[in-house]
Amino acid sequence: MSVRELIVLGTASQAPTRYRNQNGYLLRWDGEGLMFDPGEGTQRQMLLAGVAMSSVTRLCITHFHGDHCLGVPGIIQRLSLDDAGHRVHAYFPASGQQYFSRLHHACIFHDRADIYAQPVAVDGPIAAGEFGMLEARRLEHSADAIGYRLIEPDGRRFVPALLERFGLDGPAVGQLHAAGSIDWGGRTVDLSEVSEARPGQRFAFVMDTRLCDAVYALADGVDMLVIEATFLSRDSDLAARYGHLTARQAARVAAECGVRRLVLTHFSQRYTSTREHHDEAAEVFAGDLVIAEDLARIRVPERL
């Protein structure tokens, strides 16, 4: 059975606290492990979470502020130390190529990891495979930043009553799924006759940004939205000045975009509690609301 869950490795923003590490989020999506914005200390957080570094197959960096990328050297060096036998694709804003190169070669080590750097210069698809399609869009922050959106293609699910009507069972069902049709009982049965549409799942990751069109495009119709809520509304002037969102703004995006599960994170160290973040967001978002905590595991919602 496939596993689709978010492992939260850190939820702080610029400065860590006694209870919150800097950013770090590992999305387990079937056979893929997408690491988003690994901040300082990510390697140790993975150890505490019980997750092997070898599970990382894609590295997705939104921008090159330290709390979103200072964990990169540790990740690459650990992949080298463990002789990870697979390629790791690394995505980041193209203007930050020099920063990624510096992080990759930050110090002396035996560089054996297969890191395939893929700078992102324009909006649109950046990867595709069995996992679906990964897209990126430019956000509005004080540094060049991008957000990510993972899209699984729509498919079909079998309807038991329809299979029974045609007398289909056992290996014949697998053959029908693979071929799209099968000769059965003296006629050709098409997949569409015994199945119904199954929407593909969608996930979005939005960090440091002001409200902009790209935020809404990334969040549109996703099953899970992981989004920054650095400030509360009473500090909206600071949010605007530094290019961040408030909890209310993030929740409003989720409500307007039909998000099923909203995960708020990236909290400023100025707040000793996230209770107000929850209450503020709940006023405008009536869906499944999660306030991220370090080392939490958050499932992608079950298929509709």
Side-chain angles (χ1 to χ4, degrees), residues 111-175:
D111 190 3
R112 295 191 293 265
D114 183 6
I115 307 297
Y116 183 47
Q118 296 180 249
V120 177
V122 298
D123 294 347
I126 57 176
E130 292 184 5
F131 61 89
M133 181 171 63
L134 184 64
E135 297 181 337
R137 288 182 180 269
R138 288 165 292 179
L139 299 170
E140 293 185 8
H141 190 44
S142 56
D144 286 351
I146 55 179
Y148 296 92
R149 176 179 170 93
L150 182 59
I151 304 171
E152 178 187 39
D154 293 340
R156 302 193 69 83
R157 62 166 65 91
F158 286 110
V159 179
L162 295 178
L163 290 172
E164 185 177 354
R165 179 186 301 174
F166 288 93
L168 281 162
D169 58 13
V173 176
Q175 295 170 20

Side-chain angles (χ1 to χ4, degrees), residues 11-296:
T11 56
S13 54
Q14 187 175 35
T17 72
R18 293 180 63 187
Y19 307 104
R20 296 185 183 277
N21 199 66
Q22 285 190 334
N23 287 286
Y25 312 86
L26 178 66
L27 177 66
R28 298 176 67 200
W29 187 275
D30 302 339
E32 296 280 344
L34 293 89
M35 173 67 76
F36 293 92
D37 281 5
E40 187 178 353
T42 294
Q43 186 177 177
R44 185 170 186 274
Q45 292 293 93
M46 290 188 70
L47 178 65
L48 294 175
V51 185
M53 192 64 72
S54 60
S55 64
V56 176
T57 60
R58 298 179 190 272
L59 180 56
C60 305
I61 300 171
T62 61
H63 64 294
F64 285 99
H65 283 156
D67 54 319
H68 297 261
C69 67
L70 282 178
V72 169
I75 288 175
I76 293 177
Q77 290 175 37
R78 185 56 186 268
L79 287 167
S80 293
L81 179 65
D82 293 347
D83 283 321
H86 60 272
R87 169 166 286 184
V88 174
H89 300 260
Y91 312 99
F92 50 84
S95 62
Q97 175 72 70
Q98 61 177 324
Y99 298 113
F100 184 79
S101 297
R102 291 171 184 169
L103 289 166
H104 186 165
H105 304 287
C107 61
I108 299 171
F109 72 106
H110 295 293
D111 190 3
R112 295 191 293 265
D114 183 6
I115 307 297
Y116 183 47
Q118 296 180 249
V120 177
V122 298
D123 294 347
I126 57 176
E130 292 184 5
F131 61 89
M133 181 171 63
L134 184 64
E135 297 181 337
R137 288 182 180 269
R138 288 165 292 179
L139 299 170
E140 293 185 8
H141 190 44
S142 56
D144 286 351
I146 55 179
Y148 296 92
R149 176 179 170 93
L150 182 59
I151 304 171
E152 178 187 39
D154 293 340
R156 302 193 69 83
R157 62 166 65 91
F158 286 110
V159 179
L162 295 178
L163 290 172
E164 185 177 354
R165 179 186 301 174
F166 288 93
L168 281 162
D169 58 13
V173 176
Q175 295 170 20
L176 173 57
H177 183 266
S181 64
I182 190 173
D183 292 329
W184 191 262
R187 58 158 294 181
T188 298
V189 180
D190 290 327
L191 179 63
S192 61
E193 296 181 87
V194 292
S195 63
E196 60 185 7
R198 183 207 66 194
Q201 290 187 307
R202 300 185 177 194
F203 169 90
F205 185 83
V206 178
M207 284 296 115
D208 301 18
T209 183
R210 299 180 180 88
L211 274 182
C212 60
D213 290 344
V215 174
Y216 289 93
L218 291 164
D220 185 36
V222 299
D223 296 280
M224 180 185 285
L225 170 63
V226 180
I227 188 169
E228 67 133 311
T230 309
F231 293 102
L232 293 169
S233 290
R234 65 170 182 262
D235 296 314
S236 58
D237 57 331
L238 293 177
R241 184 187 312 168
Y242 295 114
H244 285 289
L245 298 174
T246 67
R248 184 180 300 277
Q249 287 175 322
R252 185 175 296 117
V253 169
E256 293 180 8
C257 290
V259 170
R260 295 179 61 201
R261 177 165 293 161
L262 170 62
V263 180
L264 298 184
T265 187
H266 195 271
F267 306 111
S268 169
Q269 69 272 17
R270 72 181 54 243
Y271 308 111
T272 58
S273 168
T274 53
R275 169 51 60 183
E276 286 186 75
H277 289 78
H278 177 278
D279 293 346
E280 187 171 289
E283 290 177 0
V284 294
F285 179 71
D288 186 354
L289 172 61
V290 179
I291 302 298
E293 300 291 343
D294 285 26
L295 306 182

